[in-house]
Amino acid sequence: MRKLYKSNQDRKICGVCGWLGEYFNLDSTIVRLIFVIGTLMSAGTGTFFYIVAAVLMPEEPY
């Protein structure tokens, strides 16, 4: 079973999109582009969810 952790290897800001890329086996750049486009189309709601995920998700253990 996979755990919910922020990525330590693939992070630009907090590692949330890096984890999503690892979890869904996608390139993290694609996840980031989808996130930015979704945020722009939803009037910034994605930013709220990113901040919540960044605060609630624990760091990946080394």
Side-chain angles (χ1 to χ4, degrees):
M1 184 173 193
R2 290 183 175 178
K3 299 275 183 165
L4 179 65
Y5 291 119
K6 292 186 276 189
S7 177
N8 285 330
Q9 293 88 16
D10 189 12
R11 70 184 324 161
K12 297 295 181 192
I13 298 174
C14 291
V16 175
C17 290
W19 172 80
L20 285 171
E22 290 174 11
Y23 187 80
F24 291 112
N25 200 22
L26 294 171
D27 185 17
S28 61
T29 305
I30 294 171
V31 174
R32 289 181 182 102
L33 287 173
I34 291 170
F35 177 78
V36 168
I37 291 169
T39 299
L40 293 174
M41 293 178 65
S42 66
T45 306
T47 305
F48 171 74
F49 289 117
Y50 188 91
I51 292 170
V52 169
V55 170
L56 295 179
M57 288 172 62
E59 294 286 333
E60 182 177 31
Y62 289 99

